Amino acid sequence: MSNSRAISLQCYHCGNDVFNSTIGIGEKLFCCNGCKMVYEILQDHQLCNYYELNEQPGVIQNKSRRSDKYNFLDNTEIKNKLIHFSNQKNSHTTLYLPQIHCSSCLWLLENIHKINPGIISSRVNFTKKEVFIVFNHHETSLRGVVESLEGIGYEPYLSLNELATGSVSKTDRTRWYKIGIAGFCFANIMMMSLAHYFVSNGFIDTKIEIVFQTISLLLSIPVLFYSATEFFKSAWYGLKNRYLNIDLPVALALVITFIRSIYEIINGAGNGYLDSMSGIVFFMLIGRWLQSRTYQTISFDRDYKSFFPIALNVIKDNIVIPTEISNVKVNDLIQVYSNEIIPVDAILSKGNANIDYSFVSGESLPIKVNIGELVYAGGKQLEGLLELVVVKEVSQSYLTNLWNNPIFNKKESIQKSSYDTIGKYFTYAVLVIGLIAGMYWFKMGETKLMWNAITTVLIVACPCALLLSQNYTNGNILRIFGLNKFYLRSPEIIERLSRINHIVLDKTGTITQTKGSNVKYAGKLLNHAIQVDVASLLKQSSHPASQLVSDFLNVPNVSMVKHFKETEGQGIEGWVNEKHIKIGSSNFVGGAYFTERQGTKVVVNIDGEIVGEYTISNKYRFGVSKLIQALKKKYTLSLISGDNNTELANIQEMLGKESDVFFNQSPQQKLDYIKELQNVYHFNVMMIGDGLNDSGALKQSDVGIAVAETNNNFTPSSDGVIDSSKLSMLNTFIQFAIAGKKIIYITFSISAIYNVIGLYFAIQGILSPVVAAILMPCSSITIIALTYGLTEWLSKYYQLNQTSKL
């Protein structure tokens, strides 16, 4: 019975809870009219198969829509920047749709032409969450395409950054070409080498052997000089910066292998090691490709342009003109609608301004701005239409200057990993062993064995196993993290995660939710009539605290208020049903109803008597308390916030008295605190934040993680992005990264056994090409199998074995 009730109270379109059962069609209920409208559109065009592929696949549509929202797309200059190809009939565009999440999305978007006949074709890139659309611009327009997508719940993400760089994110296929060439050459070289290794009578016709050797040599050239170039570039980069990375011995081994193979082929001594060389390059490139796949999922280097819309409505001579933001000038009169970002510093001219500055300053409660007061760029208008007079252009605004501050653009230093350290000593050891073996055979008068020993040592002892282990383990870890909505900039971050010993948390938007607050009442019991009187007065005020308490009371019908008066920053008062009611701070109402609850206090005075108070506190993210308790066992913690200290007691209780807690901190102070932890206390610091005011601290920390409500949400530049719903799993992610590092060491130790066996024969100068050819691929295959198997087992152990919803 309870199960059927739960299902009936879920929106048929998006799955959210339904609070108003009157919004429905037949037995199908919807949480809002927006979801109902999307269903009706799909039903009218016979596209309801969308709901059969996945249960409740839609995205909530509770936002109001404006008919003029995309007027700016009729602007030829803006339109041409978003269309990347056009001829006399058709136009092509690529749009980013962050709502894409399942196979229903793919099916619906690739059938969008049934809703808008002007669309000729649409093709979805699920990984990048992009849709490539070809449309007939005589039958529809770019604006028409975008409005069709928004109409079914897939509003494209259009930003100033997209306009500046072009909406098409080009895929670099260079590595694919390298892998393809290396794989093709490796397969063919190996096929011809096998004929030599396993010929039954030990002899191949000379002409056939020469042909095979020549073809193998020719095929190996593109492998070394094209496919393997990134190993040589990395090795050279390390040498230029005076350190030896793990790619140096790999590059050295590849060159020696190639030269030794040419020598053997020319002198008729054998086929060399061209098959092994090609195979190693092929496997290592695949490993690096696996590591790099995370870049297609999310952007880690967004700047302020990603935060801004493409255009604004500018009012000139009482005519509204959609204008590209870069063309908005000082003294222009602009319009900003509800839930839109204000991209310029401006003075409020008209409207009721409730500005959310949480992303810029960290303040948790919105700020009420009066007409004639300054509104800073980066704030979000929460309700209603505003008209503002521009005082600074977008390039000079508060947000732009804050972002362009040098503290947010700290130059990346070279991060030396422990694997590079191993590679450095490994290189020294291999060179020493090779030289000792060579000197021994030189003294024995065996010149041929001397060169054989030196080159064979360098070939067999190549740290390819360590590189393969590192690449494949990290690649699989990144894949598992991605499936759990934790995205890292690069595989190097995994090792830095494993070295963390201090974690710094931001408050607003990081451990607390960006939307919603907890409201609790303490005081005398208020009957329904009194609650109506209190709610009636609260509804006269646009102050965020008044609105939160009013929403908490949830009184639909209110009474008339007489002689209403609002004292800025203090409270409100008025006469309701012959009662004089004052609501606000304790100083304003003339007393307090003392409770130990932490938060913003809204005290109620009725006819001179304090009857109670409402306490407004932050709503913490699910699982944050358990997360902090788990982290405290292994790391030292601190919190630094730009918000006020109303939550001090709650925060201190969660983190413990030994943890540092700072409030009202500027971006510079946050940055300086991270520096102090690193330079004075020598901590490896992880910073977790979500706003622009965290950017400097995120850049300065050893690992900076940005928390995002969705992966398309604007986040400052960081080393990683974690979905807010997965923040409670942060400790699990860190422990999984530590375990991944151990996997690399384990598999490398196993592969070292192969090397020791090979070196035993190599230093004696008696290692045959057949043994080397078998030893190196076996080592590679063993490493790949072990890394995959161990990481999959660990993902199940840490309960990270999620599967994609596609």
Side-chain angles (χ1 to χ4, degrees):
M1 187 72 174
S2 60
N3 287 340
S4 63
R5 176 178 172 81
I7 292 173
S8 66
L9 293 179
Q10 284 186 321
C11 178
Y12 184 76
H13 176 71
C14 69
N16 278 12
D17 292 333
V18 173
F19 298 104
N20 184 356
S21 58
T22 62
I23 304 175
I25 299 174
E27 297 180 354
K28 301 176 179 66
L29 296 178
F30 302 92
C31 64
C32 61
N33 285 314
C35 287
K36 178 184 175 183
M37 185 178 70
V38 172
Y39 173 80
E40 289 173 335
I41 292 172
L42 299 182
Q43 187 181 46
D44 290 343
H45 292 87
Q46 299 180 346
L47 292 172
C48 284
N49 285 348
Y50 173 69
Y51 298 102
E52 297 176 6
L53 297 173
N54 292 276
E55 186 177 354
Q56 299 156 339
V59 179
I60 187 169
Q61 301 296 309
N62 57 359
K63 291 183 180 179
S64 59
R65 296 175 182 172
R66 305 191 336 258
S67 60
D68 64 342
K69 182 175 181 179
Y70 294 107
N71 280 358
F72 65 89
L73 292 177
D74 291 331
N75 183 300
T76 302
E77 185 179 350
I78 295 175
K79 181 171 60 176
N80 290 340
K81 291 180 180 179
L82 293 172
I83 292 175
H84 49 83
F85 173 80
S86 185
N87 56 26
Q88 293 180 346
K89 182 180 180 181
N90 299 332
S91 294
H92 299 181
T93 187
T94 300
L95 300 170
Y96 176 53
L97 307 180
Q99 304 88 351
I100 295 174
H101 66 283
C102 67
S103 55
S104 292
C105 301
L106 299 184
W107 182 85
L108 179 58
L109 290 169
E110 293 187 352
N111 285 278
I112 187 71
H113 60 276
K114 294 182 180 179
I115 295 175
N116 186 338
I119 296 176
I120 297 171
S121 67
S122 54
R123 186 173 69 249
V124 176
N125 184 325
F126 184 83
T127 306
K128 293 187 176 183
K129 299 191 175 183
E130 291 178 345
V131 59
F132 172 74
I133 291 178
V134 179
F135 63 94
N136 184 327
H137 49 241
H138 296 298
E139 296 183 14
T140 189
S141 62
L142 179 62
R143 176 182 173 183
V145 170
V146 171
E147 287 177 341
S148 295
L149 289 168
E150 186 197 32
I152 58 171
Y154 293 88
E155 179 182 357
Y157 181 72
L158 302 174
S159 70
L160 186 61
N161 191 54
E162 295 292 321
L163 202 64
T165 60
S167 62
V168 184
S169 54
K170 296 181 180 177
T171 302
D172 184 5
R173 293 182 170 82
T174 304
R175 182 168 281 161
W176 296 0
Y177 298 147
K178 289 181 177 180
I179 292 173
I181 290 172
F184 172 80
C185 295
F186 166 58
N188 284 278
I189 293 172
M190 178 59 75
M191 180 178 65
M192 286 179 278
S193 297
L194 289 175
H196 178 79
Y197 296 149
F198 301 110
V199 64
S200 58
N201 57 4
F203 175 78
I204 295 180
D205 182 80
T206 304
K207 292 181 180 180
I208 294 176
E209 186 173 26
I210 292 173
V211 170
F212 281 0
Q213 289 173 343
T214 303
I215 294 175
S216 297
L217 184 57
L218 291 173
L219 288 172
S220 68
I221 291 174
V223 174
L224 183 69
F225 293 100
Y226 176 67
S227 296
T229 50
E230 61 184 81
F231 303 107
F232 295 107
K233 288 179 180 178
S234 176
W236 175 243
Y237 179 77
L239 289 174
K240 282 200 304 182
N241 289 280
R242 299 182 179 180
Y243 79 97
L244 300 180
N245 58 29
I246 195 170
D247 284 333
L248 179 63
V250 172
L252 185 62
L254 292 176
V255 171
I256 295 297
T257 303
F258 185 71
I259 294 173
R260 169 71 184 269
S261 300
I262 292 176
Y263 173 81
E264 288 192 2
I265 290 171
I266 292 174
N267 289 276
N271 286 344
Y273 305 88
L274 297 175
D275 47 354
S276 297
M277 181 197 78
S278 303
I280 287 297
V281 172
F282 175 62
F283 288 126
M284 290 192 298
L285 285 174
I286 290 178
R288 291 203 167 172
W289 171 75
L290 289 172
Q291 290 186 137
S292 66
R293 286 189 304 167
T294 186
Y295 287 112
Q296 297 181 6
T297 309
I298 196 166
S299 173
F300 300 93
D301 293 309
R302 292 167 171 160
D303 64 11
Y304 69 91
K305 292 179 182 177
S306 301
F307 197 38
F308 288 160
I310 288 177
L312 285 174
N313 284 342
V314 175
I315 302 175
K316 292 184 178 180
D317 300 324
N318 293 321
I319 300 174
V320 177
I321 304 172
T323 306
E324 187 178 337
I325 282 186
S326 59
N327 295 328
V328 174
K329 305 298 181 184
V330 174
N331 295 325
D332 279 350
L333 183 62
I334 64 172
Q335 291 181 328
V336 174
Y337 289 83
S338 180
N339 290 310
E340 288 187 348
I341 301 300
I342 301 167
V344 293
D345 294 347
I347 293 174
L348 180 63
S349 171
K350 182 180 179 181
N352 184 17
N354 257 347
I355 310 299
D356 178 6
Y357 284 117
S358 60
F359 181 79
V360 180
S361 65
E363 296 172 280
S364 56
L365 288 176
I367 304 296
K368 186 181 185 305
V369 179
N370 296 316
I371 291 175
E373 292 182 342
L374 186 64
V375 180
Y376 291 103
K380 178 191 283 187
Q381 163 65 350
L382 295 183
E383 58 179 44
L385 171 66
L386 299 181
E387 290 185 6
L388 306 105
V389 178
V390 178
V391 296
K392 287 184 180 180
E393 297 177 13
V394 63
S395 60
Q396 301 298 320
S397 70
Y398 171 76
L399 181 64
T400 305
N401 289 332
L402 184 60
W403 187 271
N404 290 334
N405 191 313
I407 68 173
F408 299 115
N409 295 288
K410 178 175 72 77
K411 187 176 181 180
E412 294 281 351
S413 58
I414 298 173
Q415 297 286 340
K416 299 180 182 179
S417 71
S418 60
Y419 311 120
D420 287 334
T421 303
I422 293 173
K424 179 177 72 172
Y425 291 114
F426 193 93
T427 303
Y428 291 149
V430 168
L431 290 174
V432 168
I433 292 173
L435 288 173
I436 291 174
M439 290 172 61
Y440 171 80
W441 289 115
F442 179 76
K443 287 185 178 180
M444 297 294 292
E446 297 286 347
T447 307
K448 184 177 179 181
L449 284 176
M450 176 192 75
W451 289 113
N452 191 45
I454 293 174
T455 55
T456 308
V457 165
L458 291 173
I459 293 170
V460 173
C462 166
C464 303
L466 177 59
L467 198 58
L468 283 171
S469 175
Q470 177 189 352
N471 290 346
Y472 280 86
T473 301
N474 287 343
N476 211 25
I477 288 174
L478 289 175
R479 180 186 65 83
I480 292 167
F481 279 166
L483 290 175
N484 288 275
K485 298 184 180 181
F486 181 42
Y487 310 95
L488 296 183
R489 173 194 292 270
S490 67
E492 289 75 20
I493 308 301
I494 296 174
E495 185 185 0
R496 282 152 59 184
L497 264 178
S498 68
R499 295 201 298 258
I500 291 300
N501 50 26
H502 186 94
I503 298 175
V504 180
L505 300 165
D506 172 53
K507 182 180 78 73
T508 306
T510 301
I511 63 172
T512 65
Q513 296 182 19
T514 55
K515 297 179 181 178
S517 297
N518 288 318
V519 180
K520 295 183 178 179
Y521 174 75
K524 295 182 179 180
L525 182 64
L526 303 180
N527 60 37
H528 179 70
I530 297 296
Q531 289 184 36
V532 170
D533 293 341
V534 171
S536 300
L537 184 63
L538 289 168
K539 286 184 181 292
Q540 304 299 310
S541 172
S542 60
H543 191 278
S546 299
Q547 293 181 349
L548 287 169
V549 177
S550 177
D551 291 341
F552 172 75
L553 289 171
N554 192 27
V555 176
N557 301 312
V558 295
S559 302
M560 181 181 294
V561 178
K562 299 178 181 179
H563 307 297
F564 174 79
K565 181 182 177 182
E566 182 166 5
T567 304
E568 185 68 29
Q570 294 295 317
I572 56 177
E573 60 181 306
W575 287 84
V576 187
N577 292 326
E578 305 302 323
K579 302 183 189 70
H580 181 242
I581 303 177
K582 297 180 74 174
I583 303 174
S585 67
S586 57
N587 291 333
F588 176 75
V589 302
Y593 192 94
F594 295 102
T595 64
E596 296 182 355
R597 289 175 179 166
Q598 298 296 314
T600 301
K601 302 294 181 68
V602 179
V603 187
V604 180
N605 180 318
I606 300 178
D607 290 333
E609 179 187 2
I610 305 296
V611 298
E613 69 180 18
Y614 295 92
T615 304
I616 301 171
S617 59
N618 293 140
K619 187 178 289 185
Y620 290 89
R621 295 196 185 279
F622 173 78
V624 160
S625 181
K626 288 184 178 180
L627 169 67
I628 290 175
Q629 298 309 310
L631 292 174
K632 281 167 59 176
K633 297 176 182 178
K634 300 180 179 68
Y635 310 99
T636 53
L637 305 177
S638 55
L639 181 140
I640 187 163
S641 173
D643 198 8
N644 59 56
N645 65 352
T646 55
E647 293 284 326
L648 176 60
N650 291 333
I651 297 293
Q652 202 76 70
E653 183 181 351
M654 275 196 296
L655 266 65
K657 299 295 183 183
E658 69 280 359
S659 298
D660 291 332
V661 178
F662 303 98
F663 290 96
N664 300 306
Q665 299 296 294
S666 68
Q668 181 68 55
Q669 288 173 315
K670 289 188 174 187
L671 173 75
D672 292 340
Y673 179 65
I674 300 295
K675 284 183 177 179
E676 180 183 0
L677 291 173
Q678 293 170 324
N679 300 332
V680 178
Y681 299 101
H682 306 292
F683 282 127
N684 289 315
V685 181
M686 172 192 281
M687 170 70 192
I688 307 171
D690 76 310
L692 182 59
N693 61 331
D694 301 317
S695 297
L698 289 169
K699 290 282 282 185
Q700 178 63 40
S701 59
D702 297 279
V703 177
I705 303 297
V707 178
E709 294 292 337
T710 58
N711 63 7
N712 69 294
N713 195 49
F714 179 84
T715 54
S717 181
S718 58
D719 296 311
V721 175
I722 186 171
D723 189 276
S724 58
S725 64
K726 300 294 183 179
L727 182 63
S728 59
M729 298 176 63
L730 181 64
N731 183 56
T732 302
F733 293 143
I734 298 173
Q735 301 313 309
F736 186 53
I738 294 171
K741 188 174 180 180
K742 293 178 181 177
I743 289 175
I744 294 173
Y745 288 146
I746 290 170
T747 52
F748 178 65
S749 299
I750 293 172
S751 69
I753 296 172
Y754 284 96
N755 284 359
V756 169
I757 294 171
L759 283 172
Y760 173 77
F761 295 102
I763 59 177
Q764 300 178 66
I766 57 174
L767 184 65
S768 71
V770 176
V771 176
I774 294 174
L775 202 59
M776 292 180 74
C778 283
S779 175
S780 300
I781 294 169
T782 302
I783 293 304
I784 294 170
L786 277 172
T787 54
Y788 181 80
L790 288 173
T791 50
E792 285 297 310
W793 176 79
L794 278 173
S795 71
K796 293 179 181 178
Y797 177 80
Y798 286 108
Q799 298 182 339
L800 295 174
N801 53 323
Q802 303 292 324
T803 56
S804 165
K805 195 177 178 181
L806 176 61

